[in-house]
Amino acid sequence: MNEPKIRKFLAALKQGSDYLHAHPQDTWLAFAKAHPELNTELNKQAWQASLPLFARDPAKLDRARYQAYEQFLFDNKLIKKITPVEQYAVELD
């Protein structure tokens, strides 16, 4: 795993999320300008409706959630073993 690149990506993702939440109208206008074929009233409404669904801190690792999901997959025989979270997730300091 290339942890430094992943950390850099997660930091950039958080920065983008912060900007999106702070400037929802500006981000919609930039999106609509970049993709005029998607600049419709329905897409504008969908954009606004989806804003609360974007993580405030997408880089934050929710260990309990990952572990519970993995346990669910294991219990339902969708995976063959439980893997420690540290082996597939990066936690920012």
Side-chain angles (χ1 to χ4, degrees):
M1 174 170 30
N2 194 332
E3 194 169 316
K5 284 186 179 180
I6 293 171
R7 287 179 177 277
K8 194 173 182 179
F9 170 76
L10 291 174
L13 190 60
K14 170 134 177 39
Q15 188 177 17
S17 177
D18 289 347
Y19 188 86
L20 174 66
H21 285 284
H23 307 282
Q25 184 62 22
D26 291 342
T27 55
W28 163 254
L29 292 173
F31 174 82
K33 183 178 179 183
H35 304 281
E37 72 281 7
L38 299 175
N39 186 2
T40 66
E41 186 56 35
L42 180 60
N43 280 333
K44 184 177 182 180
Q45 290 175 20
W47 182 275
Q48 296 301 321
S50 66
L51 287 174
L53 304 176
F54 284 91
R56 290 284 178 173
D57 189 354
K60 183 176 182 189
L61 177 62
D62 186 342
R63 289 181 167 280
R65 186 174 179 191
Y66 272 67
Q67 290 166 335
Y69 185 61
E70 186 170 26
Q71 189 66 51
F72 168 82
L73 294 173
F74 181 77
D75 291 346
N76 288 281
K77 299 179 179 22
L78 297 167
I79 59 173
K80 295 181 181 184
K81 66 177 183 153
I82 300 290
T83 304
V85 174
E86 300 79 34
Q87 290 187 13
Y88 62 88
V90 174
E91 187 165 17
L92 297 181
D93 302 323

Short mmCIF file of all heavy atoms in Angstrom, two decimals, residues 23-88:
data_model
loop_
_atom_site.label_atom_id
_atom_site.label_comp_id
_atom_site.label_asym_id
_atom_site.label_seq_id
_atom_site.Cartn_x
_atom_site.Cartn_y
_atom_site.Cartn_z
N HIS A 23 -19.55 26.23 0.56
CA HIS A 23 -19.94 26.98 -0.64
C HIS A 23 -20.84 26.14 -1.56
O HIS A 23 -20.48 25.89 -2.72
CB HIS A 23 -18.70 27.42 -1.41
CG HIS A 23 -17.71 28.16 -0.58
ND1 HIS A 23 -17.86 29.48 -0.24
CD2 HIS A 23 -16.56 27.75 0.01
CE1 HIS A 23 -16.83 29.85 0.50
NE2 HIS A 23 -16.04 28.82 0.68
N PRO A 24 -21.98 25.70 -1.09
CA PRO A 24 -22.82 24.81 -1.91
C PRO A 24 -23.28 25.45 -3.22
O PRO A 24 -23.31 24.78 -4.25
CB PRO A 24 -24.00 24.46 -1.01
CG PRO A 24 -24.03 25.53 0.03
CD PRO A 24 -22.60 25.99 0.20
N GLN A 25 -23.61 26.72 -3.22
CA GLN A 25 -24.08 27.37 -4.45
C GLN A 25 -22.93 27.53 -5.44
O GLN A 25 -23.10 27.29 -6.64
CB GLN A 25 -24.73 28.72 -4.13
CG GLN A 25 -25.32 29.41 -5.33
CD GLN A 25 -26.45 28.63 -6.01
OE1 GLN A 25 -27.09 27.77 -5.42
NE2 GLN A 25 -26.68 28.92 -7.27
N ASP A 26 -21.77 27.94 -4.95
CA ASP A 26 -20.61 28.10 -5.83
C ASP A 26 -20.21 26.77 -6.47
O ASP A 26 -19.84 26.73 -7.65
CB ASP A 26 -19.42 28.68 -5.07
CG ASP A 26 -19.62 30.12 -4.65
OD1 ASP A 26 -20.51 30.79 -5.22
OD2 ASP A 26 -18.89 30.58 -3.77
N THR A 27 -20.25 25.70 -5.69
CA THR A 27 -19.87 24.40 -6.25
C THR A 27 -20.89 23.94 -7.29
O THR A 27 -20.51 23.35 -8.30
CB THR A 27 -19.67 23.34 -5.15
OG1 THR A 27 -20.85 23.24 -4.35
CG2 THR A 27 -18.48 23.67 -4.27
N TRP A 28 -22.17 24.21 -7.04
CA TRP A 28 -23.17 23.86 -8.05
C TRP A 28 -22.91 24.63 -9.34
O TRP A 28 -22.93 24.08 -10.44
CB TRP A 28 -24.61 24.12 -7.57
CG TRP A 28 -25.54 24.14 -8.74
CD1 TRP A 28 -26.14 25.22 -9.29
CD2 TRP A 28 -25.91 23.02 -9.56
NE1 TRP A 28 -26.87 24.86 -10.41
CE2 TRP A 28 -26.74 23.51 -10.59
CE3 TRP A 28 -25.61 21.66 -9.54
CZ2 TRP A 28 -27.28 22.69 -11.57
CZ3 TRP A 28 -26.15 20.84 -10.52
CH2 TRP A 28 -26.98 21.36 -11.51
N LEU A 29 -22.66 25.93 -9.23
CA LEU A 29 -22.43 26.76 -10.42
C LEU A 29 -21.20 26.29 -11.19
O LEU A 29 -21.22 26.23 -12.43
CB LEU A 29 -22.30 28.22 -10.03
CG LEU A 29 -23.59 28.87 -9.50
CD1 LEU A 29 -23.30 30.29 -8.98
CD2 LEU A 29 -24.67 28.87 -10.55
N ALA A 30 -20.14 25.91 -10.47
CA ALA A 30 -18.93 25.41 -11.14
C ALA A 30 -19.22 24.09 -11.85
O ALA A 30 -18.78 23.86 -12.98
CB ALA A 30 -17.80 25.24 -10.12
N PHE A 31 -19.97 23.22 -11.18
CA PHE A 31 -20.35 21.95 -11.79
C PHE A 31 -21.20 22.17 -13.03
O PHE A 31 -20.96 21.58 -14.09
CB PHE A 31 -21.09 21.08 -10.78
CG PHE A 31 -21.64 19.82 -11.36
CD1 PHE A 31 -20.82 18.70 -11.51
CD2 PHE A 31 -22.96 19.72 -11.76
CE1 PHE A 31 -21.30 17.53 -12.06
CE2 PHE A 31 -23.46 18.55 -12.31
CZ PHE A 31 -22.63 17.45 -12.46
N ALA A 32 -22.20 23.02 -12.91
CA ALA A 32 -23.11 23.29 -14.02
C ALA A 32 -22.37 23.91 -15.21
O ALA A 32 -22.67 23.60 -16.37
CB ALA A 32 -24.25 24.21 -13.56
N LYS A 33 -21.40 24.75 -14.93
CA LYS A 33 -20.61 25.36 -16.00
C LYS A 33 -19.73 24.31 -16.69
O LYS A 33 -19.60 24.31 -17.92
CB LYS A 33 -19.74 26.49 -15.45
CG LYS A 33 -18.96 27.23 -16.50
CD LYS A 33 -18.16 28.37 -15.90
CE LYS A 33 -17.36 29.08 -16.98
NZ LYS A 33 -16.53 30.14 -16.45
N ALA A 34 -19.16 23.42 -15.91
CA ALA A 34 -18.28 22.38 -16.46
C ALA A 34 -19.06 21.31 -17.23
O ALA A 34 -18.52 20.66 -18.11
CB ALA A 34 -17.46 21.74 -15.35
N HIS A 35 -20.32 21.13 -16.86
CA HIS A 35 -21.16 20.09 -17.47
C HIS A 35 -22.52 20.68 -17.85
O HIS A 35 -23.53 20.35 -17.24
CB HIS A 35 -21.34 18.91 -16.50
CG HIS A 35 -20.07 18.32 -16.03
ND1 HIS A 35 -19.32 17.45 -16.79
CD2 HIS A 35 -19.38 18.49 -14.87
CE1 HIS A 35 -18.24 17.10 -16.12
NE2 HIS A 35 -18.25 17.72 -14.97
N PRO A 36 -22.55 21.54 -18.85
CA PRO A 36 -23.81 22.22 -19.20
C PRO A 36 -24.94 21.26 -19.56
O PRO A 36 -26.11 21.58 -19.34
CB PRO A 36 -23.44 23.12 -20.37
CG PRO A 36 -22.12 22.65 -20.85
CD PRO A 36 -21.45 21.93 -19.72
N GLU A 37 -24.60 20.09 -20.06
CA GLU A 37 -25.65 19.13 -20.40
C GLU A 37 -26.38 18.60 -19.16
O GLU A 37 -27.48 18.07 -19.25
CB GLU A 37 -25.05 17.95 -21.21
CG GLU A 37 -24.19 16.99 -20.42
CD GLU A 37 -22.75 17.47 -20.13
OE1 GLU A 37 -22.41 18.63 -20.42
OE2 GLU A 37 -21.98 16.65 -19.60
N LEU A 38 -25.77 18.78 -17.99
CA LEU A 38 -26.38 18.33 -16.74
C LEU A 38 -27.00 19.48 -15.95
O LEU A 38 -27.52 19.28 -14.85
CB LEU A 38 -25.35 17.60 -15.87
CG LEU A 38 -24.75 16.34 -16.49
CD1 LEU A 38 -23.66 15.77 -15.60
CD2 LEU A 38 -25.83 15.31 -16.75
N ASN A 39 -26.94 20.67 -16.49
CA ASN A 39 -27.48 21.85 -15.82
C ASN A 39 -28.99 21.90 -16.03
O ASN A 39 -29.49 22.66 -16.86
CB ASN A 39 -26.79 23.11 -16.33
CG ASN A 39 -27.21 24.33 -15.55
OD1 ASN A 39 -27.98 24.25 -14.60
ND2 ASN A 39 -26.70 25.47 -15.97
N THR A 40 -29.69 21.09 -15.25
CA THR A 40 -31.15 21.04 -15.32
C THR A 40 -31.71 21.31 -13.93
O THR A 40 -31.00 21.19 -12.92
CB THR A 40 -31.65 19.66 -15.80
OG1 THR A 40 -31.31 18.69 -14.78
CG2 THR A 40 -31.04 19.28 -17.14
N GLU A 41 -32.96 21.64 -13.87
CA GLU A 41 -33.59 21.90 -12.57
C GLU A 41 -33.57 20.65 -11.71
O GLU A 41 -33.33 20.72 -10.51
CB GLU A 41 -35.02 22.40 -12.77
CG GLU A 41 -35.70 22.83 -11.48
CD GLU A 41 -34.95 23.91 -10.70
OE1 GLU A 41 -34.32 24.79 -11.32
OE2 GLU A 41 -34.98 23.86 -9.45
N LEU A 42 -33.81 19.49 -12.31
CA LEU A 42 -33.79 18.25 -11.55
C LEU A 42 -32.42 17.97 -10.96
O LEU A 42 -32.30 17.62 -9.77
CB LEU A 42 -34.22 17.06 -12.43
CG LEU A 42 -34.25 15.70 -11.73
CD1 LEU A 42 -35.21 15.71 -10.55
CD2 LEU A 42 -34.61 14.62 -12.73
N ASN A 43 -31.36 18.16 -11.74
CA ASN A 43 -30.01 17.95 -11.21
C ASN A 43 -29.65 18.96 -10.14
O ASN A 43 -28.97 18.64 -9.18
CB ASN A 43 -28.98 17.96 -12.34
CG ASN A 43 -28.93 16.65 -13.07
OD1 ASN A 43 -29.25 15.60 -12.50
ND2 ASN A 43 -28.56 16.69 -14.33
N LYS A 44 -30.13 20.18 -10.30
CA LYS A 44 -29.88 21.20 -9.27
C LYS A 44 -30.55 20.79 -7.96
O LYS A 44 -29.95 20.89 -6.89
CB LYS A 44 -30.39 22.56 -9.73
CG LYS A 44 -30.08 23.68 -8.75
CD LYS A 44 -30.53 25.02 -9.28
CE LYS A 44 -30.15 26.11 -8.29
NZ LYS A 44 -30.56 27.43 -8.77
N GLN A 45 -31.77 20.31 -8.04
CA GLN A 45 -32.46 19.84 -6.84
C GLN A 45 -31.76 18.63 -6.23
O GLN A 45 -31.62 18.53 -5.01
CB GLN A 45 -33.91 19.50 -7.17
CG GLN A 45 -34.77 20.69 -7.48
CD GLN A 45 -36.17 20.30 -7.93
OE1 GLN A 45 -36.63 19.21 -7.70
NE2 GLN A 45 -36.84 21.23 -8.60
N ALA A 46 -31.31 17.71 -7.08
CA ALA A 46 -30.59 16.53 -6.59
C ALA A 46 -29.29 16.94 -5.91
O ALA A 46 -28.90 16.37 -4.88
CB ALA A 46 -30.32 15.57 -7.74
N TRP A 47 -28.60 17.92 -6.48
CA TRP A 47 -27.35 18.43 -5.89
C TRP A 47 -27.61 18.93 -4.48
O TRP A 47 -26.93 18.55 -3.54
CB TRP A 47 -26.81 19.55 -6.78
CG TRP A 47 -25.50 20.13 -6.33
CD1 TRP A 47 -25.31 21.11 -5.41
CD2 TRP A 47 -24.21 19.75 -6.78
NE1 TRP A 47 -23.98 21.39 -5.27
CE2 TRP A 47 -23.28 20.56 -6.10
CE3 TRP A 47 -23.75 18.82 -7.71
CZ2 TRP A 47 -21.90 20.46 -6.33
CZ3 TRP A 47 -22.38 18.73 -7.93
CH2 TRP A 47 -21.48 19.54 -7.24
N GLN A 48 -28.61 19.79 -4.35
CA GLN A 48 -28.93 20.35 -3.04
C GLN A 48 -29.37 19.27 -2.05
O GLN A 48 -29.00 19.31 -0.88
CB GLN A 48 -30.03 21.42 -3.18
CG GLN A 48 -29.63 22.63 -4.00
CD GLN A 48 -28.42 23.37 -3.43
OE1 GLN A 48 -28.28 23.51 -2.23
NE2 GLN A 48 -27.55 23.84 -4.30
N ALA A 49 -30.16 18.32 -2.53
CA ALA A 49 -30.65 17.25 -1.65
C ALA A 49 -29.53 16.32 -1.20
O ALA A 49 -29.61 15.73 -0.11
CB ALA A 49 -31.74 16.45 -2.36
N SER A 50 -28.49 16.19 -2.02
CA SER A 50 -27.41 15.25 -1.66
C SER A 50 -26.34 15.87 -0.77
O SER A 50 -25.56 15.15 -0.15
CB SER A 50 -26.77 14.68 -2.93
OG SER A 50 -26.09 15.69 -3.65
N LEU A 51 -26.30 17.19 -0.66
CA LEU A 51 -25.26 17.84 0.15
C LEU A 51 -25.16 17.29 1.57
O LEU A 51 -24.05 17.03 2.05
CB LEU A 51 -25.46 19.35 0.17
CG LEU A 51 -25.13 20.08 -1.13
CD1 LEU A 51 -25.50 21.54 -1.03
CD2 LEU A 51 -23.66 19.91 -1.48
N PRO A 52 -26.27 17.09 2.28
CA PRO A 52 -26.14 16.58 3.65
C PRO A 52 -25.58 15.15 3.72
O PRO A 52 -25.15 14.70 4.78
CB PRO A 52 -27.58 16.60 4.18
CG PRO A 52 -28.34 17.49 3.27
CD PRO A 52 -27.64 17.44 1.94
N LEU A 53 -25.56 14.46 2.60
CA LEU A 53 -25.08 13.08 2.58
C LEU A 53 -23.56 12.99 2.43
O LEU A 53 -22.99 11.93 2.67
CB LEU A 53 -25.77 12.30 1.46
CG LEU A 53 -27.29 12.31 1.52
CD1 LEU A 53 -27.87 11.59 0.30
CD2 LEU A 53 -27.80 11.69 2.80
N PHE A 54 -22.93 14.08 2.02
CA PHE A 54 -21.48 14.07 1.91
C PHE A 54 -20.86 14.13 3.31
O PHE A 54 -21.25 14.95 4.14
CB PHE A 54 -20.99 15.27 1.09
CG PHE A 54 -21.19 15.11 -0.39
CD1 PHE A 54 -22.35 15.56 -0.99
CD2 PHE A 54 -20.22 14.50 -1.17
CE1 PHE A 54 -22.55 15.41 -2.36
CE2 PHE A 54 -20.42 14.35 -2.55
CZ PHE A 54 -21.58 14.80 -3.13
N ALA A 55 -19.88 13.28 3.54
CA ALA A 55 -19.22 13.22 4.85
C ALA A 55 -18.56 14.55 5.17
O ALA A 55 -17.94 15.17 4.30
CB ALA A 55 -18.19 12.10 4.86
N ARG A 56 -18.69 14.98 6.39
CA ARG A 56 -18.00 16.20 6.83
C ARG A 56 -16.50 15.96 6.91
O ARG A 56 -15.71 16.86 6.68
CB ARG A 56 -18.53 16.65 8.20
CG ARG A 56 -19.93 17.18 8.15
CD ARG A 56 -19.93 18.55 7.57
NE ARG A 56 -21.29 19.06 7.47
CZ ARG A 56 -21.57 20.27 7.13
NH1 ARG A 56 -20.62 21.13 6.86
NH2 ARG A 56 -22.81 20.66 7.03
N ASP A 57 -16.12 14.74 7.29
CA ASP A 57 -14.71 14.39 7.35
C ASP A 57 -14.52 13.03 6.69
O ASP A 57 -14.51 12.00 7.36
CB ASP A 57 -14.22 14.36 8.80
CG ASP A 57 -12.71 14.22 8.90
OD1 ASP A 57 -12.05 14.02 7.86
OD2 ASP A 57 -12.19 14.30 10.02
N PRO A 58 -14.42 13.00 5.35
CA PRO A 58 -14.34 11.72 4.65
C PRO A 58 -13.09 10.92 4.97
O PRO A 58 -13.05 9.72 4.70
CB PRO A 58 -14.36 12.13 3.17
CG PRO A 58 -13.97 13.55 3.15
CD PRO A 58 -14.37 14.14 4.46
N ALA A 59 -12.09 11.54 5.57
CA ALA A 59 -10.87 10.84 5.91
C ALA A 59 -10.93 10.19 7.29
O ALA A 59 -10.04 9.42 7.65
CB ALA A 59 -9.68 11.80 5.85
N LYS A 60 -11.96 10.49 8.04
CA LYS A 60 -12.05 9.93 9.39
C LYS A 60 -12.40 8.45 9.32
O LYS A 60 -13.39 8.07 8.71
CB LYS A 60 -13.10 10.67 10.21
CG LYS A 60 -13.17 10.19 11.62
CD LYS A 60 -14.14 10.98 12.44
CE LYS A 60 -14.06 10.41 13.84
NZ LYS A 60 -15.02 10.86 14.73
N LEU A 61 -11.60 7.65 9.98
CA LEU A 61 -11.81 6.20 9.98
C LEU A 61 -12.76 5.82 11.10
O LEU A 61 -12.48 6.09 12.27
CB LEU A 61 -10.46 5.49 10.15
CG LEU A 61 -10.51 3.97 10.23
CD1 LEU A 61 -11.09 3.38 8.95
CD2 LEU A 61 -9.13 3.41 10.49
N ASP A 62 -13.85 5.21 10.75
CA ASP A 62 -14.82 4.72 11.73
C ASP A 62 -14.57 3.22 11.91
O ASP A 62 -15.16 2.39 11.25
CB ASP A 62 -16.24 4.99 11.23
CG ASP A 62 -17.30 4.63 12.24
OD1 ASP A 62 -17.01 3.87 13.19
OD2 ASP A 62 -18.44 5.11 12.07
N ARG A 63 -13.64 2.90 12.81
CA ARG A 63 -13.23 1.51 13.02
C ARG A 63 -14.41 0.59 13.33
O ARG A 63 -14.51 -0.49 12.77
CB ARG A 63 -12.23 1.41 14.16
CG ARG A 63 -10.90 1.95 13.85
CD ARG A 63 -9.95 1.79 15.05
NE ARG A 63 -8.63 2.05 14.59
CZ ARG A 63 -7.89 1.18 13.94
NH1 ARG A 63 -8.35 -0.02 13.70
NH2 ARG A 63 -6.69 1.50 13.52
N ALA A 64 -15.27 1.03 14.21
CA ALA A 64 -16.39 0.18 14.62
C ALA A 64 -17.29 -0.14 13.43
O ALA A 64 -17.76 -1.27 13.28
CB ALA A 64 -17.19 0.86 15.72
N ARG A 65 -17.50 0.83 12.58
CA ARG A 65 -18.35 0.61 11.41
C ARG A 65 -17.70 -0.38 10.44
O ARG A 65 -18.36 -1.27 9.91
CB ARG A 65 -18.61 1.95 10.72
CG ARG A 65 -19.59 1.87 9.59
CD ARG A 65 -19.89 3.25 9.07
NE ARG A 65 -20.82 3.17 7.96
CZ ARG A 65 -21.10 4.18 7.18
NH1 ARG A 65 -20.56 5.35 7.40
NH2 ARG A 65 -21.93 4.03 6.19
N TYR A 66 -16.40 -0.21 10.18
CA TYR A 66 -15.69 -1.14 9.31
C TYR A 66 -15.74 -2.56 9.88
O TYR A 66 -15.99 -3.53 9.16
CB TYR A 66 -14.23 -0.71 9.15
CG TYR A 66 -13.98 0.26 8.03
CD1 TYR A 66 -14.47 1.56 8.08
CD2 TYR A 66 -13.23 -0.10 6.93
CE1 TYR A 66 -14.23 2.46 7.06
CE2 TYR A 66 -12.98 0.79 5.90
CZ TYR A 66 -13.48 2.06 5.98
OH TYR A 66 -13.24 2.95 4.96
N GLN A 67 -15.48 -2.67 11.19
CA GLN A 67 -15.46 -3.99 11.82
C GLN A 67 -16.84 -4.63 11.81
O GLN A 67 -16.97 -5.84 11.56
CB GLN A 67 -14.92 -3.88 13.25
CG GLN A 67 -13.44 -3.56 13.26
CD GLN A 67 -12.91 -3.12 14.61
OE1 GLN A 67 -13.65 -2.60 15.44
NE2 GLN A 67 -11.62 -3.31 14.82
N ALA A 68 -17.87 -3.86 12.06
CA ALA A 68 -19.23 -4.40 12.05
C ALA A 68 -19.61 -4.86 10.65
O ALA A 68 -20.23 -5.93 10.49
CB ALA A 68 -20.23 -3.35 12.55
N TYR A 69 -19.24 -4.10 9.64
CA TYR A 69 -19.56 -4.48 8.27
C TYR A 69 -18.80 -5.75 7.88
O TYR A 69 -19.36 -6.67 7.27
CB TYR A 69 -19.24 -3.34 7.30
CG TYR A 69 -19.66 -3.62 5.88
CD1 TYR A 69 -20.99 -3.85 5.57
CD2 TYR A 69 -18.72 -3.67 4.87
CE1 TYR A 69 -21.39 -4.11 4.26
CE2 TYR A 69 -19.11 -3.93 3.55
CZ TYR A 69 -20.44 -4.16 3.27
OH TYR A 69 -20.82 -4.42 1.98
N GLU A 70 -17.54 -5.81 8.27
CA GLU A 70 -16.76 -7.01 7.96
C GLU A 70 -17.33 -8.23 8.68
O GLU A 70 -17.41 -9.31 8.10
CB GLU A 70 -15.30 -6.81 8.34
CG GLU A 70 -14.45 -7.97 7.89
CD GLU A 70 -12.96 -7.72 8.03
OE1 GLU A 70 -12.57 -6.91 8.88
OE2 GLU A 70 -12.20 -8.35 7.28
N GLN A 71 -17.77 -8.05 9.90
CA GLN A 71 -18.39 -9.15 10.64
C GLN A 71 -19.66 -9.62 9.93
O GLN A 71 -19.93 -10.82 9.82
CB GLN A 71 -18.69 -8.74 12.08
CG GLN A 71 -19.12 -9.88 12.96
CD GLN A 71 -18.02 -10.92 13.17
OE1 GLN A 71 -16.90 -10.57 13.54
NE2 GLN A 71 -18.32 -12.18 12.91
N PHE A 72 -20.45 -8.67 9.46
CA PHE A 72 -21.66 -9.00 8.70
C PHE A 72 -21.31 -9.83 7.46
O PHE A 72 -21.94 -10.85 7.17
CB PHE A 72 -22.39 -7.72 8.30
CG PHE A 72 -23.47 -7.93 7.28
CD1 PHE A 72 -24.73 -8.37 7.65
CD2 PHE A 72 -23.21 -7.71 5.93
CE1 PHE A 72 -25.73 -8.57 6.70
CE2 PHE A 72 -24.21 -7.91 4.97
CZ PHE A 72 -25.46 -8.34 5.36
N LEU A 73 -20.30 -9.39 6.72
CA LEU A 73 -19.88 -10.12 5.53
C LEU A 73 -19.42 -11.53 5.89
O LEU A 73 -19.75 -12.50 5.20
CB LEU A 73 -18.77 -9.37 4.81
CG LEU A 73 -19.14 -8.01 4.19
CD1 LEU A 73 -17.89 -7.31 3.67
CD2 LEU A 73 -20.16 -8.19 3.09
N PHE A 74 -18.66 -11.64 6.96
CA PHE A 74 -18.17 -12.94 7.41
C PHE A 74 -19.32 -13.84 7.86
O PHE A 74 -19.41 -15.01 7.45
CB PHE A 74 -17.16 -12.75 8.54
CG PHE A 74 -16.57 -14.03 9.06
CD1 PHE A 74 -15.58 -14.68 8.34
CD2 PHE A 74 -17.01 -14.57 10.25
CE1 PHE A 74 -15.04 -15.87 8.81
CE2 PHE A 74 -16.48 -15.75 10.72
CZ PHE A 74 -15.49 -16.41 10.01
N ASP A 75 -20.21 -13.31 8.67
CA ASP A 75 -21.34 -14.09 9.18
C ASP A 75 -22.24 -14.60 8.06
O ASP A 75 -22.86 -15.66 8.18
CB ASP A 75 -22.18 -13.25 10.15
CG ASP A 75 -21.45 -12.96 11.45
OD1 ASP A 75 -20.41 -13.60 11.73
OD2 ASP A 75 -21.91 -12.05 12.18
N ASN A 76 -22.31 -13.86 6.97
CA ASN A 76 -23.14 -14.24 5.84
C ASN A 76 -22.35 -14.97 4.74
O ASN A 76 -22.83 -15.09 3.62
CB ASN A 76 -23.86 -13.01 5.28
CG ASN A 76 -24.95 -12.56 6.23
OD1 ASN A 76 -26.03 -13.14 6.24
ND2 ASN A 76 -24.66 -11.56 7.05
N LYS A 77 -21.15 -15.40 5.13
CA LYS A 77 -20.29 -16.21 4.25
C LYS A 77 -19.95 -15.52 2.92
O LYS A 77 -19.81 -16.17 1.89
CB LYS A 77 -20.92 -17.58 4.02
CG LYS A 77 -21.09 -18.37 5.31
CD LYS A 77 -21.73 -19.69 5.08
CE LYS A 77 -21.90 -20.54 6.30
NZ LYS A 77 -21.93 -20.03 7.60
N LEU A 78 -19.83 -14.20 2.99
CA LEU A 78 -19.44 -13.43 1.82
C LEU A 78 -17.93 -13.23 1.76
O LEU A 78 -17.38 -12.91 0.71
CB LEU A 78 -20.17 -12.10 1.78
CG LEU A 78 -21.70 -12.24 1.66
CD1 LEU A 78 -22.39 -10.93 1.94
CD2 LEU A 78 -22.07 -12.77 0.29
N ILE A 79 -17.28 -13.37 2.91
CA ILE A 79 -15.82 -13.38 2.98
C ILE A 79 -15.42 -14.56 3.86
O ILE A 79 -16.21 -15.04 4.68
CB ILE A 79 -15.24 -12.06 3.53
CG1 ILE A 79 -15.77 -11.75 4.94
CG2 ILE A 79 -15.52 -10.90 2.58
CD1 ILE A 79 -15.12 -10.55 5.60
N LYS A 80 -14.17 -15.01 3.68
CA LYS A 80 -13.74 -16.23 4.39
C LYS A 80 -13.02 -15.97 5.70
O LYS A 80 -12.88 -16.88 6.50
CB LYS A 80 -12.85 -17.06 3.47
CG LYS A 80 -13.61 -17.59 2.27
CD LYS A 80 -12.72 -18.41 1.38
CE LYS A 80 -13.55 -18.88 0.19
NZ LYS A 80 -12.82 -19.75 -0.69
N LYS A 81 -12.56 -14.73 5.91
CA LYS A 81 -11.84 -14.44 7.15
C LYS A 81 -11.98 -12.97 7.51
O LYS A 81 -12.27 -12.12 6.67
CB LYS A 81 -10.36 -14.81 7.03
CG LYS A 81 -9.61 -13.97 6.03
CD LYS A 81 -8.13 -14.31 6.00
CE LYS A 81 -7.43 -13.38 5.04
NZ LYS A 81 -6.07 -13.16 5.33
N ILE A 82 -11.76 -12.70 8.77
CA ILE A 82 -11.75 -11.33 9.28
C ILE A 82 -10.32 -10.80 9.16
O ILE A 82 -9.37 -11.47 9.59
CB ILE A 82 -12.21 -11.28 10.76
CG1 ILE A 82 -13.64 -11.82 10.90
CG2 ILE A 82 -12.07 -9.88 11.33
CD1 ILE A 82 -14.71 -10.93 10.31
N THR A 83 -10.18 -9.63 8.61
CA THR A 83 -8.87 -9.00 8.44
C THR A 83 -8.80 -7.78 9.34
O THR A 83 -9.74 -6.97 9.35
CB THR A 83 -8.68 -8.57 6.97
OG1 THR A 83 -8.86 -9.72 6.13
CG2 THR A 83 -7.33 -7.96 6.73
N PRO A 84 -7.72 -7.60 10.09
CA PRO A 84 -7.60 -6.40 10.93
C PRO A 84 -7.72 -5.12 10.07
O PRO A 84 -7.16 -5.04 8.98
CB PRO A 84 -6.22 -6.52 11.53
CG PRO A 84 -5.91 -7.97 11.49
CD PRO A 84 -6.58 -8.49 10.25
N VAL A 85 -8.44 -4.16 10.58
CA VAL A 85 -8.68 -2.91 9.86
C VAL A 85 -7.37 -2.26 9.43
O VAL A 85 -7.27 -1.70 8.34
CB VAL A 85 -9.51 -1.94 10.73
CG1 VAL A 85 -9.65 -0.58 10.06
CG2 VAL A 85 -10.87 -2.53 11.03
N GLU A 86 -6.34 -2.36 10.24
CA GLU A 86 -5.05 -1.73 9.93
C GLU A 86 -4.47 -2.24 8.62
O GLU A 86 -3.62 -1.57 8.02
CB GLU A 86 -4.03 -2.00 11.04
CG GLU A 86 -4.42 -1.49 12.40
CD GLU A 86 -5.42 -2.42 13.11
OE1 GLU A 86 -5.37 -3.65 12.95
OE2 GLU A 86 -6.29 -1.87 13.81
N GLN A 87 -4.89 -3.40 8.18
CA GLN A 87 -4.33 -3.96 6.95
C GLN A 87 -4.97 -3.41 5.68
O GLN A 87 -4.45 -3.63 4.59
CB GLN A 87 -4.44 -5.49 6.98
CG GLN A 87 -3.51 -6.12 7.99
CD GLN A 87 -3.51 -7.64 7.90
OE1 GLN A 87 -4.00 -8.22 6.94
NE2 GLN A 87 -2.96 -8.27 8.92
N TYR A 88 -6.09 -2.72 5.80
CA TYR A 88 -6.74 -2.22 4.58
C TYR A 88 -7.26 -0.79 4.69
O TYR A 88 -7.86 -0.28 3.74
CB TYR A 88 -7.88 -3.15 4.14
CG TYR A 88 -9.01 -3.31 5.12
CD1 TYR A 88 -10.09 -2.43 5.12
CD2 TYR A 88 -9.01 -4.35 6.03
CE1 TYR A 88 -11.13 -2.58 6.01
CE2 TYR A 88 -10.05 -4.52 6.92
CZ TYR A 88 -11.11 -3.64 6.91
OH TYR A 88 -12.14 -3.79 7.81
#
